[in-house]
Every structure is written in structure tokens, then in C-alpha cells.
Amino acid sequence: MKPKNNNNFINKIVKHSILKNPNRVIKTRFPPEPNGYLHIGHAKSICLNNNIANRYKGICNLRFDDTNPRNESTKYTLAIKKDIKWLGFNWYKQPTYTSNYFDQLYQYAIQLIKNKIAYVDELNANDIKKHRGTFKRPGKNSPFRNRTVEENLVLFKKMKNGIFPEGSMCLRAKIDMASPYIILRDPVLYRIIYSKHHHTKNKWCIYPMYDFAHCIVDALEGITHSLCTLEFLDNRKLYEWILKKLNLKKTPPKQYEFSKLNLEYTILSKRKIQKLIDHKLVSGWNDPRLHTLSGLRKKGYTKNSIKTFCKKIGITKQQNLIELSLLESCIRKDLNDSSPRRMAIINPIKLIITNIDHNYIEHLDVPNHPCKKDMGRRKILFSKEIYIEREDFCKKPITGYKGLILGKKVRLKYAYTIRANKIIKNKNNDILCILCTCYLNTKKKNIPLKNTYNIIHWLSKKNSTKTQFKLFDVLFTSKNPEKEKNIIQLYNPNSCIIKIGYTESVVAKEETQYIYQFERVGYFLKLKKKNRHNILVFHRIVSLKNKHRKPIQ
Ligand code: ATP
Ligand code: MG
């Protein structure tokens, strides 16, 4: 995919508004609900809101949209702040909270009641739904729609004072039960919830709905461009209705919608991620298989790769499913230049070079990066016993096979050509090792170009440290799990495979280096903590090649 021009349609709108009014200070906001951790879809919105503010020397608020105390908590506000900072963004002054405005919002609700355009309804949620109608059928008025202002004021106050049980009453806007926009069929503005709020504690037992609070707080904060995802398109009608009726601003904030990020094989909805956590299919919000920012970070993704990805997908109104390979190409590109090369064998099989001595050790001088001289060189050892990848050995030739075949030759990268002569097995018929001969006159520079064999990576037993590798794969077997009903059934049992193999001994000693490219294998992150058996642990960030994934039907 070609990188999208930075000049997306929202940028054009903002630019136009500046041209019309050069003194206008552009104000955007990123408004997460603190009911989960941020994911890569949020990164798209963070980049958009911050880039617009930065580009036009405006400001971008971080506003916690905390109108539903049931699932919100301080744990999430802290995690959200950490992730935004990690991405390299900040917010204007202090983060704001919708709950900071609860007093004002309550007063605005009273104003609507006094203006005869809001009423306390006693229908329960189910009946409200039934009365709402459908796209084809208009809704029906609630029997409580025509209460007097006084009656409504008393009831609303009683709601606030905790006289009524949850779900028994709500405040609704009085708009039009026959509106072609279902959102305008007397939407609920306030509901009763008896839950301690992470910020306002037990002060309130009535909470404004998102639609009511969001547009008012945007206006109070002076937001000029309220950017949100397409599912809020119709809500804009309500947003405009509320702002107009409350006569809040001369130039009220304007809402613009863009498409949500949907990523192949990935779930981004927080509610669904929570379900995976509850079912113990992932270890938490920062499980490296999730596309939360903390999960990606834990896996080894860099902030630059995520920002490049957001730039590449651009901002449009088209709803499409973005290929996972696009994200993977961004991290590969970012790590290619900065990661030193090392050797690692994930799934080892032993070769014994029969024509060299047990004590033979040769130090081979190899580059740390194929193109970057400044990354220096290092010595690797060559000796009688070496490891190669199990998948780099095959008994019989297969077309297109790139490894070592019994009776044939292969080149060991940076070293010699060898030939596989014999397989040694144990009583159970498992392969113990392969006996090989080494052509000692074929070291690096001496091989004629025409005579090249397949090249494989390897590791001398004398130069290897036992290592655990965590090989992550997609969490779901379906390309678009967000569309499926039962995501639990689509869980990929092979989404984390653990292997014990070897890395070059030097890797264990390097204390400032964490990300490597293991040659022919992929990019890996070294964890700071060893496992409980005191073994070095690596996360595979991404393999070197695109994996062709076939969805399981
Ligand atoms: P979720 O469905 O994951 O719970 P949400 O929209 O309810 O998402 P919020 O915390 O309300 O999550 O989102 C904060 C901001 O991030 C909103 O402006 C929202 O539009 C935006 N956002 C959320 N998910 C995506 C996404 N997948 N792509 C782009 N923007 C997103
Ligand atoms: Mg939300």
C-alpha cells in the first residue's frame, strides 16, 4: 500500500477553516472511555487528533469520557496516559474528565426540562426499545411524555437523590418519535446507576449518557473539530440538536467522522478483549498477542512502527479490513536498520562434522549488519558439533527445498560447505544427529560464484546459550473475527508456541541490546527477566517473511 498523503479530508477541512479565520485556535481532543487499555485503533485517533493540533499550532486535550462508572477505573486512566506518552504524544495541560462537568451537565438537563424538551420516563429499557420503532415503522410516544415541567423537575431531583431503583426511571429528550433518525426518537439523556465512580466516588447516582455529555463537554472545552469514528454519524444529529437547544456557543464544535481501523485476524473492541481476558485465553490487556498498545510494546513493537502504520492507512471514510502484513512490514522496516544480526536456532538438530577434531575451534569474523559497517563485527565459533534448524534438514529432496539434504551439500553461512552423510537415530527412531563432512577449502571468499549451494544458518555448540523462544501468531483463525458471533470458538490454539533452542552466547551478555534480527528467522526481543529455570527468553516480534495465512473456514 502506498503511504497516504498526509493531506487527508479532515486536514483539508481544518486548513479551510484556518483560511477563513486565521486567528482561530484549533482544538481537538482524544476522548477515551477508561474502561480498558488503548489499542492500535486508538493510536489512529491519537495520531490524527495530535497531528492536526500540532500542524496548526493548536491544542489537543486528553479527555476521559467517564460517564459509565460500572466498567471504568483509575487503573485504566493510568494505563491510557502511559500508552499515549509511549507513543510520543502529550496532552494540553492536565487531562480532563467528563465527570469534572457533572454539575454543569445536571444544570443543562434541568434547563431542557424547563424548556419542555426533556421528561422523566418510567418505561423500562425493554419498553423504551419497543416504543422506539424501526427504520420502517415510526416509534410510539411514551405515556409519560406529557408530564408537567414541575412534575419532571421533582422526579429528576428525586432520581438524583437516590429515591428510585436502577432502571426504573430515566430522563429523555423530547424530540420526535417519528423521526427518520432513530437516534432522535426521544433519546435517553440520564440514567440511574448505583456504582461508585472512580472519580466522583458516591456523589452521583444518575449519570449522563455519552451523547448528552460528549457534545456539551466538547463545547465547554472549546473544541473546534470533534473527530470520531463513523458509527457516530447519526449521533451528530442529536449532538447538533442539544447544542442548539442549549444555545451553548456562537460557533459550536463540529463533528467529523472517519472510518475505524479494522485489522485482519484481530479483535479491537474493548468489550471483546475483556471477554478473552475473562476466558483466560490471554494473560491480560498487555498480552503480546493482542493489538493493544501495551501488548504490541510487550511483544517488541516500536512506537515508530505504529505511527508509520497509522500514516500508511491514512484517514478516510472507507470501512475496510487492513491487512496484518501491512503492520508487519512497518515493524520490519523500522527494525531492519537498527537491529544487529545474530544467529539463533529455534528448533535444533545436531550436526557432527566427522572430519574435524573434537578440540578444533575456529573464530570467524562476521559483520553485525550486512549494510552498516558502523555496527561493527564479531567473532563466531566453528567447531565439531553444530546446531542447525530441524526444518533445514531433509532426508529426501523436495522441489524448491532450501536446506541440507542427505547426500547433498549446503553452505553454512559465513563458514564452509558441508555434506550430510548419515543420520544417527536412537532406539525410538528419533534423529540424534547427522554426520557430515566439511570442505575445509571452501571458506567464505574461496567459493566460486557458480558453485553456490543453499545457505543455512547454524550455531556451534561451543558458542550457544540455551534459550526459550515465544513464537506468537494470530489469536484467531478467522480473517475478520470482529464480525463473528462466537470469537471464543475462533481462538487459535497455536497463537503462542514455546520452543527451547539456542542463541549465540554473546547475546546473553549484551546488557543494553534487546532487539535482534536472528538471521533467516526474524526479529526478536530479549526479555529483561529470565524464566524460572534461569533461561534467557525471547519474544518473536515478527518473522522475516510474510506468512501466507489461510483462514480456517
Ligand atoms: P471500543 O469499541 O474498542 O471499546 P470505543 O470507540 O468505545 O472503542 P473509546 O475509548 O470510546 O473506545 O474511544 C476513544 C476514541 O478512539 C474515540 O474517538 C473513538 O472513535 C476512537 N477509536 C476507537 N476505536 C477505534 C478504531 N478501531 N479506529 C479508530 N479510532 C478508534
Ligand atoms: Mg466507547
Side-chain angles (χ1 to χ4, degrees):
M1 191 191 267
K2 268 204 333 219
K4 290 256 164 53
N5 191 332
N6 249 349
N7 208 5
N8 58 58
F9 77 98
I10 295 182
N11 248 315
K12 284 184 188 152
I13 290 169
V14 179
K15 198 170 166 189
H16 186 71
S17 86
I18 296 261
L19 285 177
K20 267 193 5 203
N21 179 359
N23 294 328
R24 192 169 194 210
V25 178
I26 298 300
K27 289 190 184 174
T28 59
R29 83 287 171 275
F30 172 63
E33 183 180 358
N35 61 350
Y37 282 40
L38 297 183
H39 51 61
I40 190 159
H42 291 120
K44 174 177 176 176
S45 175
I46 295 171
C47 290
L48 172 69
N49 281 292
N50 280 281
N51 290 342
I52 293 231
N54 294 342
R55 194 167 184 179
Y56 298 101
K57 300 198 170 48
I59 59 177
C60 177
N61 282 355
L62 165 63
R63 184 197 316 142
F64 289 108
D65 218 329
D66 51 352
T67 52
N68 183 358
R70 281 196 199 105
N71 308 316
E72 296 163 0
S73 93
T74 308
K75 159 177 104 179
Y76 297 127
T77 58
L78 293 174
I80 289 171
K81 287 193 274 189
K82 182 174 170 189
D83 286 347
I84 295 176
K85 288 218 158 146
W86 176 70
L87 270 184
F89 292 112
N90 218 325
W91 44 86
Y92 181 63
K93 293 187 177 168
Q94 293 300 315
T96 65
Y97 293 80
T98 299
S99 56
N100 290 347
Y101 304 93
F102 279 173
D103 284 306
Q104 278 150 288
L105 288 162
Y106 179 71
Q107 292 307 328
Y108 285 123
I110 289 190
Q111 196 178 318
L112 293 184
I113 295 176
K114 286 184 177 163
N115 292 349
K116 299 189 180 155
I117 44 176
Y119 62 98
V120 172
D121 198 0
E122 284 174 57
L123 291 183
N124 61 32
N126 221 353
D127 287 334
I128 290 183
K129 209 170 157 193
K130 277 192 203 152
H131 276 67
R132 190 163 283 139
T134 61
F135 281 115
K136 288 188 185 148
R137 187 165 44 82
K140 270 199 322 209
N141 284 353
S142 158
F144 305 98
R145 199 172 196 258
N146 291 322
R147 294 184 199 275
T148 62
V149 168
E150 290 66 34
E151 226 180 321
N152 279 320
L153 286 174
V154 170
L155 285 174
F156 190 48
K157 197 163 183 191
K158 282 189 175 171
M159 271 173 66
K160 175 178 173 266
N161 290 339
I163 309 290
F164 305 120
E166 228 175 87
S168 63
M169 291 204 184
C170 64
L171 183 75
R172 293 179 73 178
K174 197 175 187 174
I175 310 181
D176 178 7
M177 289 306 288
S179 169
Y181 298 101
I182 292 185
I183 189 99
L184 294 184
R185 294 184 188 171
D186 290 11
V188 174
L189 303 180
Y190 259 92
R191 74 270 208 226
I192 303 170
I193 300 177
Y194 292 101
S195 257
K196 190 174 169 186
H197 188 281
H198 71 105
H199 224 210
T200 56
K201 310 292 179 225
N202 292 317
K203 181 174 173 193
W204 297 90
C205 65
I206 53 169
Y207 291 91
M209 297 298 289
Y210 168 87
D211 281 327
F212 181 61
H214 200 75
C215 55
I216 297 178
V217 177
D218 270 353
L220 294 177
E221 290 187 350
I223 302 302
T224 54
H225 296 78
S226 176
L227 312 177
C228 66
T229 39
L230 277 171
E231 70 274 21
F232 293 101
L233 184 70
D234 282 353
N235 302 50
R236 176 160 25 115
K237 302 269 175 242
L238 176 56
Y239 191 113
E240 286 166 358
W241 183 89
I242 295 170
L243 293 181
K244 193 162 161 229
K245 295 294 175 192
L246 291 172
N247 198 14
L248 260 172
K249 280 254 157 163
K250 266 196 229 125
T251 44
K254 272 200 137 182
Q255 176 177 301
Y256 300 95
E257 305 85 13
F258 61 96
S259 62
K260 255 192 165 170
L261 166 66
N262 294 307
L263 191 59
E264 276 182 359
Y265 300 99
T266 303
I267 286 284
L268 293 181
S269 149
K270 287 184 273 185
R271 190 177 51 81
K272 292 181 183 165
I273 295 178
Q274 184 65 60
K275 197 167 165 188
L276 296 176
I277 297 172
D278 295 342
H279 277 77
K280 300 204 166 22
L281 293 178
V282 293
S283 58
W285 287 95
N286 65 350
D287 188 297
R289 291 164 297 173
L290 289 172
H291 286 80
T292 52
L293 295 181
S294 49
L296 286 164
R297 178 166 69 233
K298 194 165 176 193
K299 189 154 138 189
Y301 268 69
T302 58
K303 62 177 180 180
N304 284 342
S305 65
I306 292 169
K307 285 182 177 172
T308 309
F309 172 74
C310 291
K311 205 169 176 180
K312 285 199 176 211
I313 55 175
I315 301 290
T316 68
K317 280 185 181 283
Q318 283 143 24
Q319 301 266 29
N320 42 19
L321 189 62
I322 302 290
E323 288 177 15
L324 194 55
S325 59
L326 180 68
L327 176 64
E328 292 177 342
S329 72
C330 293
I331 183 69
R332 272 190 211 111
K333 198 153 192 276
D334 193 37
L335 297 181
N336 181 34
D337 278 354
S338 58
S339 314
R341 276 40 172 177
R342 297 286 182 265
M343 302 279 216
I345 304 293
I346 311 280
N347 193 11
I349 185 169
K350 195 168 26 171
L351 307 188
I352 296 182
I353 315 284
T354 48
N355 60 330
I356 63 174
D357 202 70
H358 263 291
N359 302 325
Y360 182 83
I361 289 184
E362 189 177 348
H363 294 265
L364 302 166
D365 182 54
V366 302
N368 285 331
H369 194 287
C371 318
K372 298 197 141 212
K373 276 196 173 155
D374 56 329
M375 279 203 176
R377 303 180 71 83
R378 71 189 188 287
K379 298 269 193 255
I380 57 170
L381 301 188
F382 180 69
S383 60
K384 188 174 181 72
E385 292 188 357
I386 64 174
Y387 298 114
I388 64 165
E389 295 289 352
R390 200 160 271 264
E391 65 181 44
D392 277 339
F393 174 72
C394 191
K395 224 167 130 184
K396 288 187 191 132
I398 310 168
T399 14
Y401 187 67
K402 295 263 162 45
L404 174 63
I405 299 161
L406 195 63
K408 303 263 178 222
K409 293 177 187 173
V410 82
R411 272 201 70 76
L412 298 177
K413 188 153 193 190
Y414 305 123
Y416 299 97
T417 304
I418 56 163
R419 181 181 189 276
N421 300 321
K422 193 175 176 195
I423 302 173
I424 306 291
K425 292 184 175 176
N426 66 10
K427 276 189 246 151
N428 302 331
N429 218 23
D430 303 323
I431 298 179
L432 281 181
C433 64
I434 321 284
L435 303 184
C436 300
T437 30
C438 173
Y439 298 88
L440 289 161
N441 60 344
T442 57
K443 197 165 154 189
K444 270 202 294 193
K445 293 166 200 156
N446 304 338
I447 39 157
L449 267 178
K450 269 192 250 155
N451 206 3
T452 47
Y453 298 99
N454 290 330
I455 301 175
I456 60 172
H457 62 286
W458 58 279
L459 205 48
S460 155
K461 192 180 169 194
K462 292 192 168 153
N463 182 29
S464 54
T465 298
K466 204 170 182 182
T467 299
Q468 186 189 86
F469 300 96
K470 286 191 175 172
L471 309 175
F472 301 112
D473 199 353
V474 291
L475 255 181
F476 299 99
T477 52
S478 147
K479 218 171 188 175
N480 196 354
E482 204 83 68
K483 279 241 163 86
E484 310 276 351
K485 273 209 181 96
N486 191 349
I487 53 163
I488 303 299
Q489 270 179 6
L490 300 171
Y491 175 77
N492 172 11
N494 296 323
S495 54
C496 177
I497 290 179
I498 295 181
K499 292 273 177 200
I500 298 287
Y502 299 98
T503 43
E504 262 177 65
S505 298
V506 67
V507 161
K509 294 175 208 137
E510 288 166 322
E511 285 186 353
T512 50
Q513 182 60 47
Y514 294 102
I515 294 183
Y516 295 93
Q517 186 200 99
F518 290 141
E519 298 209 28
R520 294 184 68 237
V521 183
Y523 293 97
F524 283 75
L525 171 77
K526 180 169 72 180
L527 301 202
K528 290 187 183 158
K529 245 175 86 182
K530 291 187 175 172
N531 75 5
R532 62 197 153 93
H533 306 294
N534 207 27
I535 293 177
L536 210 58
V537 185
F538 274 88
H539 282 174
R540 181 172 67 194
I541 306 169
V542 66
S543 57
L544 283 189
K545 281 187 228 115
N546 252 338
K547 184 169 167 188
H548 182 69
R549 295 188 176 91
K550 268 202 221 133
I552 299 166
Q553 300 302 329

